[in-house]
Amino acid sequence: MASSLPRVQPGSFLTLHYRLAGPGGDIINTFDGKAATLTLGTGELSPAVEQRLLGLEEGARAQFDLPAGAAFGDRSPEMVQWVARSLLVKMGDPAERYAVGDVVQFPTPDGMGQYAGAVQQLGEDKDGDGYPDAVLFDFNHPLAGEPVTFEVQLIGVL
């Protein structure tokens, strides 16, 4: 007899626990907290990760290993960019202090979303105001170019 449990399809609304990990450990892990809710196909998960969910039944628990670059693409040197202090002041808190390793949220040009950049390096303070004149950000996904382990437990499928 075929199972009558709902299966994940394109556009499904999911309640799930998931873990994304790279060689350095977990990047996202909801298993110890509140379950995540998302809709397939809206860009909340990478297409390669979403592909692994298709066809899974509600209640399923699975783990997938994706090869380097498959989940979030390859690292792109063009995604590592210096951002001038004047632009940082315009987009956020003028008194913000940055440290290497900080992850900073930026608004998308249309103002509807956000993207993140990790601070790689602080520039010089040529004008002596105590703030770097520019900050080097890496806008690559933290798992770009890395092998990824994706673990999922599907709680609900609508």
Side-chain angles (χ1 to χ4, degrees):
M1 187 169 105
S3 169
S4 62
L5 289 172
R7 289 185 177 273
V8 177
Q9 300 169 29
S12 288
F13 181 77
L14 308 177
T15 302
L16 57 116
H17 278 296
Y18 72 103
R19 180 177 73 91
L20 279 174
D26 289 357
I27 295 291
I28 297 172
N29 187 341
T30 69
F31 282 97
D32 296 330
K34 190 172 180 284
T37 56
L38 53 90
T39 303
L40 238 54
T42 59
E44 294 174 77
L45 293 173
S46 82
V49 169
E50 285 192 355
Q51 203 62 43
R52 303 308 192 281
L53 293 172
L54 292 174
L56 290 179
E57 282 187 345
E58 185 173 271
R61 186 163 185 158
Q63 181 172 313
F64 306 98
D65 292 313
L66 293 95
F72 297 99
D74 293 320
R75 291 193 59 72
S76 169
E78 294 83 43
M79 298 287 284
V80 179
Q81 299 175 7
W82 285 97
V83 178
R85 169 123 183 97
S86 57
L87 187 57
L88 293 171
V89 166
K90 197 163 72 176
M91 291 196 301
D93 177 359
E96 183 76 41
R97 298 269 181 192
Y98 300 102
V100 172
D102 285 355
V103 175
V104 179
Q105 297 292 327
F106 292 91
T108 54
D110 65 7
M112 301 302 288
Q114 289 190 325
Y115 62 97
V119 176
Q120 300 295 299
Q121 188 180 331
L122 302 175
E124 292 182 57
D125 176 13
K126 291 182 184 151
D127 60 9
D129 68 356
Y131 294 96
D133 299 331
V135 177
L136 183 66
F137 285 95
D138 184 348
F139 294 106
N140 283 290
H141 187 281
L143 291 173
E146 302 281 351
V148 171
T149 299
F150 174 61
E151 183 180 355
V152 62
Q153 178 183 3
L154 283 172
I155 298 166
V157 177
L158 292 175

